[in-house]
Amino acid sequence: MAKKILIVDDAAFMRMMIKDILTKNGYDVVAEAADGAQAIEKYKEHRPDLVTMDITMPEVDGIGALKEIKKIDPDAKVIMCSAMGQQAMVIDAIQAGAKDFIVKPFQADRVIEAIQKTLG
């Protein structure tokens, strides 16, 4: 069965890009969210195998959403996505429980590599 993935990014084109990479590689994108608050709701609803999470978003940022998702499911697998130059945020994300991070702009093979490594 295909692994279920939730994509979280406030930019629709980024969600579309990630979704395209994932579906071409046999993953099932079960939901998308445009901010951290939506991400938490969609996580509860779909219980995906993995979440790709943007860090900088309106409402609740990626790190806030990551912490909430980890409260709901301590075993949640979340990969953070950040633009260049956000190293401090990446460290915060890893400390909050993120499994990996991908730097934007993405290379498709790096996205798949991170997901395969995280899902084992």
Side-chain angles (χ1 to χ4, degrees):
M1 203 172 96
K3 293 290 186 182
K4 299 183 301 191
I5 301 186
L6 165 62
I7 299 172
V8 185
D9 199 303
D10 56 333
F13 79 95
M14 288 306 294
R15 292 196 307 271
M16 199 171 72
M17 237 172 69
I18 298 169
K19 184 175 186 173
D20 187 51
I21 293 168
L22 297 178
T23 51
K24 281 181 179 160
N25 283 276
Y27 293 99
D28 181 15
V29 176
V30 290
E32 297 179 28
D35 63 53
Q38 281 182 13
I40 296 159
E41 289 310 307
K42 301 268 186 191
Y43 190 89
K44 287 180 194 167
E45 189 182 329
H46 296 281
R47 293 290 176 151
D49 297 301
L50 184 122
V51 181
T52 64
M53 179 88 70
D54 186 20
I55 292 182
T56 314
M57 294 182 291
E59 302 297 321
V60 179
D61 72 3
I63 294 171
L66 168 66
K67 289 176 178 169
E68 286 304 308
I69 287 171
K70 283 295 208 180
K71 283 182 197 166
I72 299 163
D73 178 4
D75 298 324
K77 292 180 170 68
V78 180
I79 295 177
M80 303 306 283
C81 305
S82 75
M84 294 295 281
Q86 293 182 323
Q87 278 81 359
M89 288 181 176
V90 167
I91 291 165
D92 288 349
I94 300 291
Q95 288 171 338
K99 299 289 184 198
D100 201 346
F101 67 94
I102 311 167
V103 178
K104 293 177 186 176
F106 312 124
Q107 257 63 58
D109 53 355
R110 172 68 186 111
V111 174
I112 296 305
E113 176 197 317
I115 288 172
Q116 287 172 341
K117 191 175 85 180
T118 302
L119 290 172

